[in-house]
Amino acid sequence: MQHDTDCSFSYFFADRLYYYAKHEKERTLAEIIAENFPLVQEIKNYSEIDYAHARKVSSVAEECAKELGADDKTVAAAGFYYRIGKLEGEPFVENGVRLAEINCFPKNVVKILSEYNGELNAISSIESAIVHIVDSIVTKFELLDKETVKNSWNHDIIIYQTLNEKSAAGLYDEANLGMNQFIKIREFLTKGADLF
């Protein structure tokens, strides 16, 4: 009899927990990138380099989104977590999306993470395109010699070349990113962004 009661209680508890998790209110954008948020700390503990990269992408992408009149807070959050799948290993995109869902991220952030590098899903919004572009540029700058990149001419060439490669690959075809917006992003990255 005791066993039946324990099973009923366990079933009830599991059912309530599932319901709560399924209907819990989405976390706020500011909350999920706050320094004290557990997943932020997990990234920091995993790798200081990845943490610095995430912070850089987040801040540059947020400023870029403001220039375009896009959703800068969503872009900041998605930029910070764009490579979150690395915490769990391959498959990176699926694992990143799963971590975001477990942590009750807003749906628009989860969508951008599901479009990481256009691997599984096409980049489908201006916000997603901004995050991808900034992540690509920041990654490129991290891989190159700092002295080489600091030269103004090299700095601009690297940005132009990277943007042209990504655009020519058709990555932004479904993002509703107009030519004027693309040029604005390029101008911001060459003249206004702190990429170091």
Side-chain angles (χ1 to χ4, degrees):
M1 190 69 158
Q2 178 65 33
H3 178 70
D4 290 341
T5 306
D6 289 345
C7 286
S8 296
F9 179 76
S10 295
Y11 177 77
F12 175 79
F13 182 75
D15 187 51
R16 290 289 103 203
L17 186 61
Y18 175 78
Y19 179 85
Y20 178 77
K22 192 94 171 136
H23 296 91
E24 182 181 275
K25 189 174 178 189
E26 290 178 349
R27 296 183 187 274
T28 67
L29 294 167
E31 178 185 5
I32 65 174
I33 60 172
E35 193 64 31
N36 63 349
F37 189 67
L39 206 49
V40 170
Q41 288 303 307
E42 194 172 331
I43 292 169
K44 196 171 189 179
N45 293 336
Y46 172 77
S47 164
E48 286 285 341
I49 291 170
D50 284 315
Y51 175 77
H53 175 88
R55 281 287 177 216
K56 177 59 70 180
V57 172
S58 178
S59 66
V60 172
E62 180 178 19
E63 292 305 312
C64 186
K66 286 178 185 174
E67 291 285 319
L68 267 70
D71 184 347
D72 58 308
K73 299 305 177 198
T74 293
V75 166
F80 184 83
Y81 288 107
Y82 202 53
R83 300 186 338 181
I84 188 78
K86 286 180 73 176
L87 288 177
E88 298 287 315
E90 292 188 21
F92 296 121
V93 180
E94 292 94 328
N95 284 333
V97 168
R98 187 180 57 75
L99 279 172
E101 289 175 340
I102 287 170
N103 284 278
C104 302
F105 282 15
K107 288 178 184 61
N108 48 359
V109 174
V110 176
K111 183 163 178 54
I112 292 172
L113 299 183
S114 77
E115 296 171 358
Y116 175 80
N117 279 342
E119 291 174 17
L120 292 181
N121 299 309
I123 294 169
S124 66
S125 67
I126 292 169
E127 288 79 9
S128 190
I130 291 169
V131 171
H132 181 265
I133 289 168
V134 172
D135 181 69
S136 299
I137 298 291
V138 169
T139 300
K140 184 81 78 160
F141 275 42
E142 289 169 348
L143 295 173
L144 296 171
D145 173 48
K146 298 266 189 249
E147 291 308 310
T148 303
V149 177
K150 282 187 179 178
N151 174 307
S152 169
W153 185 80
N154 288 340
H155 175 274
D156 292 357
I157 292 297
I158 291 164
I159 291 170
Y160 275 64
Q161 183 182 33
T162 304
L163 289 176
N164 288 343
E165 286 171 6
K166 302 298 181 185
S167 180
L171 283 171
Y172 312 122
D173 289 354
E174 295 181 35
N176 296 318
L177 185 66
M179 183 54 75
N180 287 341
Q181 293 166 315
F182 188 79
I183 291 169
K184 262 187 161 178
I185 292 171
R186 189 179 67 194
E187 292 302 304
F188 169 74
L189 292 171
T190 54
K191 295 182 173 54
D194 176 16
L195 295 165
F196 298 103

